[in-house]
């Protein structure tokens, strides 16, 4: 966008989408949404994806995104599922949204009916670092963008804190209601991590009574 406004025709700068597409094909994540400005460079993303289409051909793509509270293990979940290397740490390790291309094994392409998975990792909701800012609007914007973008969104819930569960469910439901207004029908899958077994309390009580 900036290149068009400034009318710059530098071939080195115009080759940047080709470089980014090459990085995606080799397994590097590319920033999809600027977390600090909540901005999606649409023309840049289009240029990168157009270059991918030129190199890969007309392939079927499945977009899988993830949504969850900060430090709930979203990036770790995606890394474990697909063998990726999204940044993992306590606090705000992911800013905005990043996309990474994963090739589907040829043995299961016919069963899945798509050739590639575009994995979208996102910034955590209810960020502690942004507690003094308008996090509510930022969270709703991010959730709407991520859920609207994906064929399926993993709603990641960590532990059994009822307030956090309520937060993520409220944000996700509002985002899905917005999808209905624009005639989109994405799917979601709830992943509840680090939850105690239902029978754990009863078994513990039995052990104490025997003592």
């Amino acid at each position: 966008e900036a290149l068009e406004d400034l009318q710059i025709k530098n071939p080195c700068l115009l080759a940047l989408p080709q470089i980014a597409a090459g990085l995606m094909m080799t397994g590097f994540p590319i920033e999809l949404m600027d977390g600090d400005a909540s901005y999606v460079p649409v023309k840049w993303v289009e240029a990168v994806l157009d270059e991918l289409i030129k190199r890969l051909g007309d392939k079927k793509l499945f977009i899988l995104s993830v949504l969850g509270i900060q430090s709930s293990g979203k990036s770790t979940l995606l890394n474990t599922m697909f063998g990726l290397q999204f940044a993992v740490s306590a606090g705000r390790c992911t800013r905005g949204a990043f996309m990474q291309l994963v090739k589907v094994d040829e043995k299961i392409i016919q069963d899945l009916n798509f050739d590639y998975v575009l994995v979208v990792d996102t910034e955590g909701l209810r960020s502690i670092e942004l507690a003094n800012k308008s996090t509510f609007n930022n969270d709703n914007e991010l959730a709407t963008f991520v859920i609207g973008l994906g064929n399926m969104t993993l709603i990641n819930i960590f532990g059994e804190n009822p307030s956090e569960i309520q937060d993520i469910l409220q944000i996700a439901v509002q985002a899905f209601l917005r999808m209905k207004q624009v005639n989109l029908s994405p799917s979601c899958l709830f992943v509840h991590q680090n939850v105690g077994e239902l029978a754990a309390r009863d078994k513990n009580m039995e052990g104490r009574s025997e003592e």
Side-chain angles (χ1 to χ4, degrees):
E1 297 173 12
L3 293 178
E4 290 184 359
D5 294 338
L6 298 175
Q7 297 183 350
I8 297 176
K9 301 298 182 180
N10 188 323
C12 294
L13 296 178
L14 296 176
L16 290 177
Q18 300 176 15
I19 297 173
L23 290 173
M24 284 194 68
M25 292 179 62
T26 56
F28 284 89
I30 299 295
E31 186 178 49
L32 179 61
M33 179 181 187
D34 187 337
D36 295 322
S38 296
Y39 171 70
V40 180
V42 177
K43 291 186 178 180
W44 163 253
V45 174
E46 284 182 353
V48 174
L49 296 181
D50 286 343
E51 186 62 30
L52 271 178
I53 293 174
K54 291 179 183 178
R55 298 189 180 196
L56 299 177
D58 188 14
K59 302 293 184 180
K60 293 184 179 179
L61 186 69
F62 185 88
I63 302 177
L64 179 70
S65 56
V66 66
L67 193 68
I69 301 295
Q70 186 185 66
S71 297
S72 60
K74 301 178 300 302
S75 300
T76 303
L77 175 65
L78 295 177
N79 290 345
T80 304
M81 290 176 62
F82 298 100
L84 307 180
Q85 293 182 347
F86 285 119
V88 176
S89 69
R92 195 183 180 202
C93 61
T94 304
R95 294 173 181 264
F98 287 79
M99 57 182 178
Q100 186 164 346
L101 194 66
V102 178
K103 191 179 188 311
V104 176
D105 193 302
E106 295 181 359
K107 297 179 181 178
I108 57 175
I109 286 179
Q110 292 184 348
D111 295 332
L112 297 179
N113 199 28
F114 51 83
D115 304 284
Y116 289 87
V117 178
L118 186 68
V119 182
V120 180
D121 189 21
T122 62
E123 179 174 353
L125 307 177
R126 296 293 187 262
S127 174
I128 299 175
E129 289 83 356
L130 302 177
N132 296 327
K133 302 180 182 180
S134 55
T135 57
F136 183 77
N137 290 333
N138 291 337
D139 288 348
N140 285 331
E141 289 175 1
L142 179 62
T144 304
F145 172 71
V146 169
I147 290 177
L149 180 69
N151 298 106
M152 175 176 286
T153 302
L154 300 178
I155 309 296
N156 188 54
I157 302 173
F158 184 83
E160 303 178 45
N161 187 331
S163 63
E164 291 187 357
I165 295 175
Q166 182 178 353
D167 284 344
I168 183 63
L169 290 180
Q170 182 180 3
I171 294 172
V173 168
Q174 289 177 354
F176 273 102
L177 290 176
R178 295 187 192 96
M179 296 304 104
K180 190 175 181 180
Q181 296 175 1
V182 293
N183 296 324
L184 290 178
S185 55
S187 302
C188 73
L189 180 66
F190 288 89
V191 179
H192 203 169
Q193 302 186 52
N194 284 33
V195 182
E197 186 182 359
L198 294 177
R201 181 179 181 278
D202 296 334
K203 290 182 179 179
N204 289 335
M205 293 302 294
E206 289 177 3
R208 291 176 184 176
S209 61
E210 291 178 358
E211 292 177 358

